[in-house]
Amino acid sequence: MLSLTIREVSLALREGRISPTELCRKCLNRIKKTQHLNAYITVAEELALKQAQEAESRLLQGAPKGLLDGIPFAVKDNFCTENIKTTCASRMLKDYTPPYNATVVQKLLDQGAVLMGKTNMDEFAMGAGSTDGAFGPVRNPWSYASPYRAQTGAEPDSDWVITGGSSGGSAAAVASLTSYLALGSDTGGSTRNPGALCGVVALKPTYGLVSRHGLIPLVNSMDVPGIITRSVDDAAIVLGILQGLDIRDSTTIHCPSSPTEQPEVFDVRNVCVGIPKEYHAPGLSQETLTQWSHVADLFEKAGARVKQVSLPHTQHSIVCYHVLCHAEVASNMARFDGLEYGHRSAVDSSTEAMYSTSRHEGFNDVVRGRILSGNYFLLRQNYEHYFVKAQQVRRLIAEDFKHVFSSGVDVLLTPTTLADAARHSDFTQEDNRTRSAQEDIFTQPVNMAGLPAISVPTALSSRGLPIGLQLIGPALQDRKLISVAQWIEQRVGFPSIRDQGDTNERRSNTGVTEREQTSAV
């Protein structure tokens, strides 16, 4: 039951094959069983059971709130949740309890979805591995799946691999079957990166299509709530619920009228797929390159047009992204001064001493480093040289995409990450700045241009770990992008992790359990 799609489990609930309370208990038990992954910071057990019981009453009366009624979901711990701690995986907000829900959280609750808890992340979403949070690193569920253990002979407790970040907890929660969907934030790839490394679908909508109200900001001009699910159709369902204007977020836009359901048959012959030559980046693994070529070949054989395109300013994007990111971080982090909310130091010899020690104790080295560099870029003598120049380059990067899409290209096909997931012991050998530059190389240009993108898992590497590819579309063409992603999903046959209880129900005539080898338990 835990391996089903949202549509399948929603039907099971309506037909009475399982009750919302039973489903909620299954997910809670699964969370306890996979506690070693450290995917959750807070588990809202009592609230989840209460919401599940309410959903059960509605279903018994034949009056469900919507397709998500009774379905468990998880939320990254930088979205505000009423009366549930929202920590941003930091000491600064370790005791902060918001008095309201983020718009995206409220929309899911209004549909009857059941909140399981808040997921782990990099502190204030600054990182690419979910290894730099105050509550410890998140472990990739595939570290414990038999393909990885069989291919590498790895010892899970010492050779485990990272989830990617910064929404690693959300990706791990969905991949390990503790929730059917999870919210992440995506500023430079923070949902797509862990989506690719954890073998789940990760959608970053067009900037402004989904409200940011209640998302604790990292970079206001790039932050987008992301959607993590186990299938493309699930992501489409959730986007349909979350998109739309919000009076509390002035950057939201009218969503284009589009069908709420994906077409059953999608004619890929009408699609032109662009392959950006600049994305053949140094460090791209041979296996990722092979998958990239394989999927491009699938398009070509099916009758789609596939052509090489150029995004000439890509080489400058990562540097440009870091200047703009750090500048906005310096501004956003100024609110955490120990006065109104958040951690306050016991040092009170002066106001200045209280400020500085509160921030020193409340932020980790990564956050403090970004605040310092951001303030440096914003100094009067540096502003024109760094911040303004970076904004000009950002415009050029956006123009590159606009030029390509106006030339008849419908979607761009790229890798999501350079390679499959790194071992934690290897990943932490390098500093956060270097790791972020490597991990975000294919994902952050999309955020600077405000475009939609989706990462789809396509295969397992020779190490038994997921490899994902990214599709990028023009602004507000999210539905078409999702249709193309679904076409890929249907043809690659990615072997997702399944619950042992579910696989026992899926035995073939030969008695071999379908995908049993990828069971995480």
Side-chain angles (χ1 to χ4, degrees):
M1 192 59 70
L2 296 182
S3 308
L4 299 181
T5 65
I6 287 174
R7 210 176 285 281
E8 289 167 343
V9 79
S10 179
L11 184 63
L13 288 167
R14 287 167 194 247
E15 291 179 346
R17 282 181 276 140
I18 189 169
S19 72
T21 307
E22 287 174 307
L23 189 62
C24 180
R25 288 192 191 281
K26 274 180 178 282
C27 287
L28 288 169
N29 289 338
R30 184 77 175 183
I31 289 171
K32 287 167 187 166
K33 199 181 283 188
T34 56
Q35 213 165 357
H36 55 278
L37 299 177
N38 200 24
Y40 289 83
I41 291 173
T42 303
V43 178
E45 184 168 351
E46 283 183 28
L47 176 67
L49 287 168
K50 179 173 174 284
Q51 290 174 348
Q53 284 160 3
E54 289 169 357
E56 195 164 325
S57 299
R58 289 191 295 270
L59 288 167
L60 287 170
Q61 292 164 13
K65 281 186 171 182
L67 193 62
L68 298 185
D69 209 354
I71 293 179
F73 76 103
V75 176
K76 187 176 179 180
D77 208 23
N78 58 347
F79 286 92
C80 289
T81 42
E82 186 179 1
N83 298 326
I84 301 172
K85 280 185 183 179
T86 299
T87 70
C88 284
S90 68
R91 288 183 292 278
M92 179 60 80
L93 291 179
K94 70 181 185 338
D95 295 316
Y96 174 60
T97 304
Y100 67 99
N101 284 319
T103 296
V104 284
V105 174
Q106 190 60 52
K107 283 189 172 186
L108 292 174
L109 293 173
D110 289 345
Q111 284 283 314
V114 176
L115 177 58
M116 304 308 295
K118 307 295 292 292
T119 58
N120 205 347
M121 54 187 283
D122 285 298
E123 184 167 322
F124 284 102
M126 298 185 207
S130 299
T131 58
D132 291 318
F135 300 96
V138 187
R139 299 186 179 201
N140 193 321
W142 286 88
S143 307
Y144 300 86
S146 34
Y148 177 63
R149 297 203 304 268
Q151 298 292 343
T152 62
E155 290 294 325
D157 288 331
S158 56
D159 296 326
W160 56 273
V161 298
I162 61 161
T163 56
S166 60
S167 309
S170 290
V174 173
S176 61
L177 315 180
T178 60
S179 69
Y180 289 86
L181 67 123
L183 295 178
S185 60
D186 196 311
T187 307
S190 286
T191 52
R192 288 161 287 151
N193 177 297
L197 300 187
C198 291
V200 290
V201 173
L203 171 65
K204 175 231 170 272
T206 298
Y207 183 83
L209 193 61
V210 177
S211 172
R212 292 184 294 114
H213 172 70
L215 167 61
I216 295 172
L218 176 64
V219 181
N220 302 64
S221 67
M222 299 184 210
D223 291 344
V224 177
I227 298 163
I228 298 176
T229 57
R230 286 196 292 275
S231 77
V232 175
D233 184 52
D234 286 357
I237 291 168
V238 179
L239 178 64
I241 290 163
L242 299 185
Q243 67 184 9
L245 277 174
D246 179 13
I247 57 168
R248 297 180 185 87
D249 178 3
S250 61
T251 61
T252 51
I253 51 181
H254 278 288
C255 52
S257 55
S258 59
T260 52
E261 290 193 13
Q262 295 304 110
E264 283 187 24
V265 179
F266 179 72
D267 191 356
V268 81
R269 289 174 297 179
N270 299 325
V271 172
C272 179
V273 180
I275 309 291
K277 64 181 183 182
E278 289 82 8
Y279 282 55
H280 287 269
L284 182 65
S285 75
Q286 185 57 50
E287 287 183 295
T288 305
L289 181 59
T290 301
Q291 276 305 306
W292 191 14
S293 302
H294 170 63
V295 173
D297 289 344
L298 287 178
F299 276 116
E300 219 157 22
K301 286 171 185 170
R305 285 190 300 129
V306 179
K307 69 175 189 177
Q308 190 178 75
V309 297
S310 178
L311 299 166
H313 297 94
T314 299
Q315 59 180 317
H316 308 300
S317 65
I318 196 73
V319 177
C320 169
Y321 168 75
H322 278 289
V323 171
L324 296 175
C325 173
H326 292 201
E328 291 201 42
V329 161
S331 173
N332 279 323
M333 293 296 115
R335 73 192 69 189
F336 302 111
D337 54 16
L339 279 181
E340 293 169 88
Y341 48 79
H343 172 72
R344 179 184 291 197
S345 171
V347 175
D348 57 0
S349 54
S350 68
T351 306
E352 188 177 322
M354 189 271 289
Y355 278 169
S356 59
T357 50
S358 294
R359 288 165 70 78
H360 181 81
E361 292 165 7
F363 295 138
N364 68 7
D365 291 345
V366 174
V367 178
R368 291 200 300 268
R370 292 199 188 190
I371 291 170
L372 285 169
S373 57
N375 279 314
Y376 176 80
F377 297 143
L378 293 172
L379 288 172
R380 184 181 297 172
Q381 64 267 35
N382 296 335
Y383 183 80
E384 293 280 338
H385 184 63
Y386 289 105
F387 186 74
V388 173
K389 279 265 173 36
Q391 289 284 36
Q392 290 167 341
V393 174
R394 180 181 186 174
R395 173 57 59 88
L396 293 174
I397 290 164
E399 291 294 331
D400 284 349
F401 282 110
K402 198 177 290 184
H403 174 73
V404 165
F405 289 128
S406 63
S407 72
V409 172
D410 294 298
V411 293
L412 297 173
L413 176 68
T414 79
T416 310
T417 56
L418 287 167
D420 58 7
R423 287 193 312 170
H424 177 256
S425 54
D426 297 330
F427 186 76
T428 50
Q429 294 299 309
E430 292 182 298
D431 64 279
N432 178 283
R433 168 72 177 80
T434 305
R435 297 194 306 257
S436 296
Q438 291 168 344
E439 297 296 328
D440 294 343
I441 190 152
F442 300 129
T443 51
Q444 42 73 32
V446 172
N447 294 79
M448 290 201 286
L451 303 177
I454 187 168
S455 178
V456 182
T458 58
L460 295 182
S461 69
S462 58
R463 296 167 65 214
L465 296 171
I467 294 172
L469 294 180
Q470 175 181 231
L471 287 168
I472 303 167
L476 299 176
Q477 293 295 311
D478 302 58
R479 286 287 166 185
K480 187 169 189 178
L481 185 74
I482 288 169
S483 294
V484 179
Q486 195 166 26
W487 185 90
I488 294 175
E489 179 185 60
Q490 288 164 353
R491 278 147 190 82
V492 295
F494 180 77
S496 56
I497 290 176
R498 290 197 175 276
D499 180 37
Q500 195 68 44
D502 284 1
T503 53
N504 287 341
E505 298 167 11
R506 295 169 173 258
R507 292 189 180 277
S508 67
N509 294 332
T510 60
V512 177
T513 305
E514 180 191 347
R515 296 174 175 171
E516 192 165 12
Q517 74 279 10
T518 51
S519 171
V521 179

